[in-house]
Amino acid sequence: MMPFAISAIRTMTDYAMPHGLRRGCARRWHATVVALLLACPALTTAQGAAPRATDVPNAPPQNAPLLGAHTLLSHSEGEGVSPAVTAPIETQPAGSTFIVLNGGYAKNGNGPVDNYANRWKRVGSRVVFNGYGGAFDVTAYVAVAGKGGSGHSVRIDKSGYPEGEITVPFIEVRNAGVLKDMAQNYPAPALVMTSGEVTTTGPATLVAVWWGDGGVKTMTTRPDSGFQMIDSYLLLPDNSGVQCAVAYRQVASAGTYHVSWVGSPMQGAILWLFAFQAE
């Protein structure tokens, strides 16, 4: 780049200098023109134009949905209380959509209530864990275009068995005006389990939730396909609990997406995948 710039400056100054100048004046003329050209980088580059902010590749679209605050509550078996209340988080005053899942005893399967009076809607079906005689299940709830702020928390009233184990993820997705798509499936026990697919029409935040069903206390699981784990409860106490993991992925364009969870020991898992868009 530099040899080209110097050559261009020499050519332009030689071409632009008026005829008939004396040698001293000619030197001053060259110096003046060189200073002006160096002050304008766009004239001394091969590209011929300075980059603009809109030319920066991979710039995130304005008002695209983004992962916000999140937390995960767990009560171990025999040590729970009612209500089950999540830790407070800092959420946006407006413009966010919230997700809550209730995994635990079916007799404690009440919907969420939060301290900002949002309206929660159950999405998908109640899913019963295999192998426990119908005693345990998972349900999912969403509050679209909700209200938030400081100290935002969610409670589940455990009316059937207050002492029972329960796990409650609470996730904020900012700038999300619609739940664009959702998939729920329950693969058979395996080391790799793949969710259903969701389809988006533009930039989206994907949230994946894994609920293992094995009678084990220590386990691993991790998502693939660019998903990042944000919360988990995988090391259970001796008195047991409801294992869970939450992950997310930002996608910049329309498409069809899924996630596979890789873990051990082998067990089944209830899988949810949500796709949130601005509109």
Side-chain angles (χ1 to χ4, degrees):
M1 292 288 293
M2 185 56 69
F4 171 84
I6 293 172
S7 174
I9 291 170
R10 286 174 179 166
T11 301
M12 293 179 72
T13 55
D14 290 343
Y15 177 80
M17 183 178 68
H19 294 292
L21 285 180
R22 291 174 299 182
R23 181 174 300 176
C25 293
R27 285 198 296 269
R28 288 194 294 273
W29 174 264
H30 276 279
T32 300
V33 174
V34 168
L36 288 171
L37 289 170
L38 292 177
C40 301
L43 297 177
T44 61
T45 62
Q47 286 82 359
R52 299 168 298 171
T54 54
D55 296 331
V56 177
N58 302 322
Q62 290 187 346
N63 299 322
L66 298 168
L67 178 71
H70 51 88
T71 187
L72 187 145
L73 163 74
S74 62
H75 289 177
S76 61
E77 177 61 24
E79 296 184 356
V81 295
S82 183
V85 182
T86 65
I89 57 177
E90 189 84 14
T91 58
Q92 286 193 143
S96 291
T97 289
F98 304 105
I99 318 165
V100 166
L101 292 96
N102 177 356
Y105 280 93
K107 61 179 69 175
N108 290 333
N110 295 313
V113 177
D114 72 326
N115 55 345
Y116 281 89
N118 286 301
R119 298 183 63 182
W120 296 89
K121 178 183 178 181
R122 194 179 82 179
V123 291
S125 302
R126 164 181 172 263
V127 185
V128 177
F129 282 94
N130 293 333
Y132 299 92
F136 295 93
D137 65 7
V138 181
T139 49
Y141 301 86
V142 168
V144 176
K147 296 172 288 184
S150 62
H152 196 170
S153 64
V154 165
R155 80 169 193 266
I156 302 288
D157 292 319
K158 298 166 69 179
S159 55
Y161 178 32
E163 299 83 3
E165 59 193 82
I166 190 173
T167 298
V168 181
F170 174 29
I171 306 124
E172 175 192 23
V173 182
R174 298 182 174 183
N175 307 327
V178 63
L179 173 60
K180 193 66 175 180
D181 201 2
M182 183 194 71
Q184 182 278 313
N185 64 324
Y186 197 165
L191 295 178
V192 179
M193 291 176 288
T194 301
S195 74
E197 294 183 334
V198 294
T199 299
T200 68
T201 58
T205 298
L206 310 181
V207 177
V209 190
W210 173 99
W211 298 88
D213 66 5
V216 295
K217 304 295 174 56
T218 302
M219 68 214 76
T220 64
T221 190
R222 60 177 177 81
D224 70 355
S225 304
F227 281 79
Q228 300 178 49
M229 190 100 79
I230 57 172
D231 288 306
S232 64
Y233 184 46
L234 303 175
L235 181 59
L236 308 185
D238 289 340
N239 52 324
S240 190
V242 184
Q243 55 258 49
C244 179
V246 183
Y248 88 105
R249 177 184 174 187
Q250 297 291 149
V251 296
S253 58
T256 298
Y257 303 94
H258 66 269
V259 59
S260 292
W261 294 86
V262 183
S264 65
M266 186 181 296
Q267 61 180 309
I270 299 168
L271 304 181
W272 297 79
L273 183 58
F274 305 89
F276 293 94
Q277 292 186 209
E279 57 184 23

